[in-house]
Amino acid sequence: MTTKPLTPAAGEIWMTEQGAYVLVAGADRTHAVTCPVAILPDGSVVAHPRGRKAGQVLLASFSSGPYRYVSVAKARTAVTR
């Protein structure tokens, strides 16, 4: 984990207190829209395999709550055969 300002931005990965990873899809002045994701062994991010839905989280939860910054999402590269 790295240290960063506690304001989420689109494209960042954060961890909940339960250990789940969420991708910040966007944010306004009071809320962030998050989508559950899974991080693959190569570090790329994919939608959560169990089909969990996106949600809104108060921005205060990122600065003083259960969320911890992980990293900026890494794009998945195409696999050629």
Side-chain angles (χ1 to χ4, degrees), residues 15 33 40 61-63 65:
M15 184 189 309
V33 176
L40 300 178
S61 297
F62 290 93
S63 60

Side-chain angles (χ1 to χ4, degrees), residues 4-30:
K4 79 166 290 295
L6 298 176
T7 303
E12 293 178 344
I13 303 295
W14 290 69
M15 184 189 309
T16 68
E17 64 185 352
Q18 294 86 16
Y21 294 105
V22 294
L23 170 69
V24 176
D28 59 20
R29 292 186 301 156
T30 59

Side-chain angles (χ1 to χ4, degrees), residues 21-25 33-37 48 52-55:
Y21 294 105
V22 294
L23 170 69
V24 176
V33 176
T34 62
C35 303
V37 295
H48 197 281
R52 296 182 183 157
K53 296 183 180 181

Side-chain angles (χ1 to χ4, degrees), residues 42 76-81:
D42 67 357
R76 190 166 187 199
T77 57
V79 175
T80 57
R81 295 182 189 250

